Amino acid sequence: GQSLEQPSEVTAVEGAIVQINCTYQTSGFYGLSWYQQHDGGAPTFLSYNGLDGLEETGRFSSFLSRSDSYGYLLLQELQMKDSASYFCAVRRHSGGYQKVTFGIGTKLQVIP
Amino acid sequence: GAGVSQTPSNKVTEKGKYVELRCDPISGHTALYWYRQSLGQGPEFLIYFQGTGAADDSGLPNDRFFAVRPEGSVSTLKIQRTERGDSAVYLCASSPGAAGTDTQYFGPGTRLTVL
């Protein structure tokens, strides 16, 4: 089977740094993506890791360790607008294409 | 054009009724996906189209659910004999390339409420 685990809720202070972890178990693993979703909004793509290591995009960075089946999303210089749900999602080979499976999401609350 | 659009944004129906949910993907995107999202959960895969054909419909929960994409652009998700458990936000996403290798762009979703 397959599973994705991430914390259900995280609270952090404006201006601080927060790390959201994701562990996964799946066959045919190809890579790990992160999506952001504000309440009532559509999920939007943040980052993708196909190889081990760190990917940086502005205030957001994402890390992958394939040997540990582990990744994380790092948000720096937190802003109030970063309050949202963050989903890790695995890409895996399935039936000749890369299927995306989402975790349950981590609800991040940024407080003043 | 603009992003992925979905209509209606909200749909309230009675148990046992038939509903259709529409998705307009980004122009030129060949891949289209339907997901279902319940409160406090991540998007749950339903079906993937590559062009006009359903390449993977393994996520459809039962035979009351059906989706089409006759011209390789707009897609319609059809639910027959709706049940209260079908209440959720139905999300559509599209991506430019084949085989699901690209970033998926999501629409705002249709919130379905079955009374």
Side-chain angles (χ1 to χ4, degrees):
Chain A
Q2 39 174 327
S3 68
L4 278 158
E5 292 191 9
Q6 53 181 128
S8 57
E9 294 182 359
V10 172
T11 301
V13 178
E14 188 178 15
I17 298 173
V18 70
Q19 178 173 314
I20 299 173
N21 298 322
C22 175
T23 58
Y24 59 87
Q25 284 187 338
T26 186
S27 58
F29 178 81
Y30 200 85
L32 190 71
S33 301
W34 289 90
Y35 283 78
Q36 178 192 60
Q37 186 178 32
H38 287 96
D39 282 348
T44 56
F45 173 80
L46 290 177
S47 68
Y48 172 71
N49 294 74
L51 301 174
D52 283 1
L54 194 67
E55 294 283 341
E56 297 180 75
T57 309
R59 295 187 297 113
F60 294 0
S61 304
S62 59
F63 172 83
L64 175 65
S65 168
R66 298 170 74 102
S67 60
D68 295 322
S69 298
Y70 163 76
Y72 65 73
L73 179 69
L74 191 75
L75 296 81
Q76 303 181 71
E77 301 172 18
L78 280 173
Q79 302 176 9
M80 298 300 290
K81 68 178 182 179
D82 297 330
S83 294
S85 291
Y86 292 85
F87 297 92
C88 61
V90 293
R91 284 191 196 172
R92 61 186 180 92
H93 292 288
S94 176
Y97 80 105
Q98 291 179 30
K99 191 168 186 174
V100 177
T101 301
F102 288 81
I104 65 168
T106 298
K107 191 171 181 68
L108 170 65
Q109 183 181 14
V110 180
I111 58 176
Chain B
V4 177
S5 63
Q6 293 185 244
T7 54
S9 56
N10 281 284
K11 176 70 177 178
V12 180
T13 191
E14 293 179 344
K15 180 176 178 296
K17 299 292 188 183
Y18 168 83
V19 297
E20 290 190 352
L21 312 179
R22 176 187 169 108
C23 172
D24 278 271
I26 295 172
S27 177
H29 281 196
T30 60
L32 185 146
Y33 312 80
W34 283 98
Y35 294 87
R36 178 168 69 175
Q37 187 175 27
S38 301
L39 193 62
Q41 301 294 315
E44 173 194 5
F45 171 79
L46 296 177
I47 187 168
Y48 156 57
F49 286 91
Q50 185 54 245
T52 61
D56 182 356
D57 64 359
S58 63
L60 294 177
N62 51 60
D63 62 6
R64 295 186 298 105
F65 289 74
F66 188 71
V68 296
R69 195 186 185 199
E71 297 178 357
S73 178
V74 170
S75 176
T76 304
L77 178 67
K78 308 180 181 194
I79 311 174
Q80 298 178 324
R81 305 183 304 281
T82 52
E83 300 178 356
R84 292 193 179 87
D86 299 335
S87 297
V89 175
Y90 289 81
L91 295 165
C92 174
S94 70
S95 62
T101 59
D102 299 296
T103 300
Q104 295 185 20
Y105 297 86
F106 281 82
T110 293
R111 182 175 298 277
L112 176 65
T113 303
V114 182
L115 301 177

